[in-house]
Amino acid sequence: VAPREALLRAFSLTVDGEPVGKARARVTAHGAYTPEKTRTAQERISWETKMWWGNQPLMEGPVEVTVKAWCTPPKRNGKSYPSRLDVDNALKLVLDALNGVVWKDDRQVVKATIEKWWAVGIEPFTGIKVVEVRRG
């Protein structure tokens, strides 16, 4: 029997632009750094979330996260139809962007879902939904 869950708070956001996956940190002789594309995408999601949500991470309990990445369809090359977006890295970028903004720490995430769709006839964007749940 599944535990009963009651909705406490919810948050939804649409971030315009091509969805981005979190790239690995780069290491040089001068130290490690986060690639510009990753840093910019993560900062944008955090900033847009703060504009709607505020500066206090109000969700303290368990949360469920749904991310829908609407990507520019890749061009056919005659052999395959690949996609540049790696869904686990896209989810990681969103989770890291919302740390300290919507929740205190992404350890609060008890369920995460990511979907990748082709943005045919529309501009690419990332849809994010966070729901605080009570389990028990």
Side-chain angles (χ1 to χ4, degrees):
V1 174
R4 292 181 51 186
E5 298 180 351
L7 175 67
L8 298 177
R9 285 177 237 198
F11 165 79
S12 294
L13 176 71
T14 298
V15 180
D16 293 333
E18 193 68 40
V20 176
K22 182 156 187 149
R24 293 183 184 174
R26 306 290 187 240
V27 180
T28 68
H30 303 289
Y33 70 95
T34 301
E36 177 74 23
K37 185 175 180 181
T38 295
R39 192 174 75 249
T40 301
Q42 193 167 318
E43 288 172 354
R44 182 167 183 207
I45 291 171
S46 292
W47 182 83
E48 289 196 25
T49 301
K50 287 177 186 177
M51 296 304 291
W52 186 88
W53 183 260
N55 287 321
Q56 295 295 321
L58 298 177
M59 292 188 178
E60 296 180 0
V63 297
E64 294 182 2
V65 180
T66 303
V67 176
K68 293 185 180 182
W70 289 84
C71 307
T72 300
K75 296 177 181 168
R76 291 189 181 269
N77 62 13
K79 296 181 182 177
S80 64
Y81 198 59
S83 171
R84 302 289 302 166
L85 183 67
D86 190 334
V87 293
D88 60 330
N89 290 333
L91 178 62
K92 181 65 176 160
L93 185 132
V94 170
L95 295 180
D96 287 350
L98 299 181
N99 264 340
V101 179
V102 176
W103 52 68
K104 291 182 179 181
D105 191 277
D106 59 9
R107 290 180 291 177
Q108 293 170 242
V109 177
V110 295
K111 181 179 179 182
T113 305
I114 176 118
E115 299 176 13
K116 180 170 49 175
W117 296 91
W118 300 137
V120 177
I122 58 174
E123 293 297 315
F125 69 93
T126 302
I128 302 166
K129 181 178 178 185
V130 180
V131 177
E132 188 174 37
V133 295
R134 180 183 0 249
R135 294 185 157 202

